[in-house]
Amino acid sequence: MEDNNEIFLKKKLKQQYNDDEIKKIYNGYNCKRVVTLRVNTIKSTREKIKKIFKDENIEYENVAWSNEAFIIKNKNENQLQELEIYKNGEIYLQSLSSMLPPIIMQPQANEDILDMAAAPGGKTTQIAALTENKANITACEMNNIRAEKLRFNIEKQGANSVYVMQKDSRNIDEYFSFDRILLDAPCSGSGTLNLNDVNAFKYFSPKLVEKSSKTQLTLLKKALQILKPGKELVYSTCSILACENEEIVKKALKGVNAEIVPIEFEGINDLPLLSTKLEGTLCVCPNELYEGFFIAKIRKK
Ligand code: SAM
């Protein structure tokens, strides 16, 4: 039986997507996602991990747009967590969609980088790896328990260029300024729903969407304030609803001297994409390989 939360989701999707897209989204919601991981290049190499996969009879596939990403064919997350390379932080279990924002962000050594909603730290540590621990990364997280998890993952992965700031990012002092910001905002998770789970609509609700949208807008406005002029930020969510994505970006840009930077990414043709209401932004359709995800890049003039 459909509950009110699912009826609400269907209504939202119908306002935004055509029948063909909605069918694809529901196929994605119904399929089991494969296990994927990222090699932590601070502690290991792709070649070493491939050798261990061979020794452990782990079957995998490469990912066209990342040398560090692997799709695992014959092991589940629990089995991978038993491996030494997991325990010592040489690999990090991370969805493919979640690896996209740091890559699209193009972080550079020596930059002051802010990750505004950081825990458990998948993207923070990926930024540290992409910059070979040579950037100054501030990872902000307001939830106590999640901040602990963030610290644990940073330590485990040897991301020693990261400073954890346990704070509500909405209150970051305007006296700070950054060369690059990632805002991987809290969201309703409408891109990650799994309809095989009886609890799929336990958390997703109109109330959560409304609360998330409000926080997202405040956070994005703050990000635009503390980004240095001429520099770029990446806004992402694991929602596919325009009210948490395109509409937030549009509202935040109103009256601000900033513009959307069209996302250019070598793997873009490999992604299952949905239409977006804002040119230059990217929305990934959920399927067996990808979670639903939205990404926008913004430059402050
Ligand atoms: N970027 C993370 C990663 O890749 O591992 C996932 C981030 S998750 C989508 C959003 C996080 O933002 C949650 O851990 C949540 O506790 C945190 N959060 C929510 N509101 C926040 C705020 N106002 N200030 C700081 N952190 C916040």
Side-chain angles (χ1 to χ4, degrees):
M1 196 185 73
E2 270 191 340
D3 74 3
N4 287 340
N5 292 344
E6 183 166 11
I7 294 168
F8 167 76
L9 174 69
K10 279 201 170 145
K11 201 173 129 202
K12 281 296 219 191
L13 292 176
K14 206 149 176 60
Q15 284 167 358
Q16 189 179 339
Y17 297 111
N18 64 35
D19 289 349
D20 188 40
E21 287 178 302
I22 292 176
K23 209 168 147 196
K24 283 187 189 146
I25 292 167
Y26 264 80
N27 282 342
Y29 285 161
N30 275 308
C31 66
K32 190 173 169 352
R33 237 175 305 286
V34 297
V35 180
T36 57
L37 59 84
R38 172 173 61 81
V39 176
N40 173 20
T41 51
I42 295 172
K43 284 198 159 181
S44 197
T45 63
R46 170 187 164 85
E47 292 317 313
K48 178 177 173 195
I49 297 300
K50 274 169 66 171
K51 183 171 178 313
I52 290 167
F53 285 167
K54 194 164 178 239
D55 295 345
E56 300 278 344
N57 294 317
I58 297 175
E59 293 165 21
Y60 64 89
E61 267 177 31
N62 298 316
V63 175
W65 45 265
S66 169
N67 280 337
E68 283 77 49
F70 287 110
I71 300 163
I72 304 301
K73 309 293 285 180
N74 62 341
K75 301 277 177 208
N76 61 32
E77 291 199 354
N78 290 341
Q79 290 168 317
L80 292 171
Q81 283 167 357
E82 292 301 315
L83 298 172
E84 200 46 43
I85 49 172
Y86 174 83
K87 291 180 183 159
N88 67 16
E90 288 184 72
I91 57 168
Y92 186 84
L93 303 187
Q94 189 172 351
S95 79
L96 294 182
S97 297
S98 162
M99 296 179 205
L100 294 171
I103 293 174
I104 286 167
M105 195 182 170
Q106 297 174 300
Q108 306 294 321
N110 301 316
E111 287 181 332
D112 288 322
I113 298 176
L114 173 66
D115 185 346
M116 276 180 96
K123 298 182 192 68
T124 311
T125 52
Q126 188 182 352
I127 295 167
L130 285 169
T131 52
E132 298 172 357
N133 260 340
K134 288 180 185 143
N136 308 309
I137 304 168
T138 303
C140 198
E141 171 59 49
M142 77 173 182
N143 178 285
N144 280 358
I145 296 168
R146 290 180 67 88
E148 268 318 300
K149 183 83 188 147
L150 172 66
R151 286 193 187 94
F152 173 82
N153 279 329
I154 287 169
E155 166 90 25
K156 180 172 160 185
Q157 293 197 58
N160 57 28
S161 52
V162 182
Y163 162 73
V164 175
M165 183 158 74
Q166 195 178 326
K167 189 180 172 75
D168 185 331
S169 294
R170 289 173 290 195
N171 302 329
I172 294 177
D173 206 313
E174 277 162 48
Y175 138 97
F176 287 105
S177 63
F178 295 90
D179 298 307
R180 229 174 266 270
I181 298 176
L182 172 64
L183 171 53
D184 185 40
C187 72
S188 69
S190 70
T192 63
L193 291 170
N194 171 6
L195 296 190
N196 297 311
D197 179 349
V198 286
N199 290 323
F201 287 98
K202 198 169 160 193
Y203 301 106
F204 178 87
S205 67
K207 224 173 161 181
L208 179 62
V209 172
E210 197 192 329
K211 181 173 173 247
S212 302
S213 305
K214 239 175 143 177
T215 310
Q216 288 154 357
L217 183 57
T218 314
L219 285 169
L220 187 50
K221 282 182 173 172
K222 171 60 74 175
L224 283 163
Q225 274 173 6
I226 56 181
L227 182 67
K228 290 182 191 166
K231 303 292 183 180
E232 292 175 356
L233 69 80
V234 166
Y235 174 77
S236 61
T237 72
C238 59
S239 176
I240 53 171
L241 298 181
C243 59
E244 295 181 75
N245 298 330
E246 293 96 316
E247 287 169 24
I248 300 298
V249 173
K250 272 192 213 161
K251 283 183 198 163
L253 287 182
K254 226 175 215 158
V256 175
N257 201 7
E259 63 188 355
I260 302 225
V261 181
I263 290 175
E264 283 170 12
F265 162 62
E266 62 166 307
I268 208 157
N269 294 330
D270 294 305
L271 303 177
L273 291 180
L274 290 167
S275 58
T276 84
K277 289 170 187 269
L278 208 50
E279 217 180 309
T281 63
L282 190 145
C283 192
V284 179
C285 183
N287 71 7
E288 69 284 355
L289 285 180
Y290 291 88
E291 292 176 328
F293 226 84
F294 174 83
I295 307 174
K297 199 172 192 181
I298 300 170
R299 182 184 299 122
K300 185 163 167 179
K301 293 190 199 163

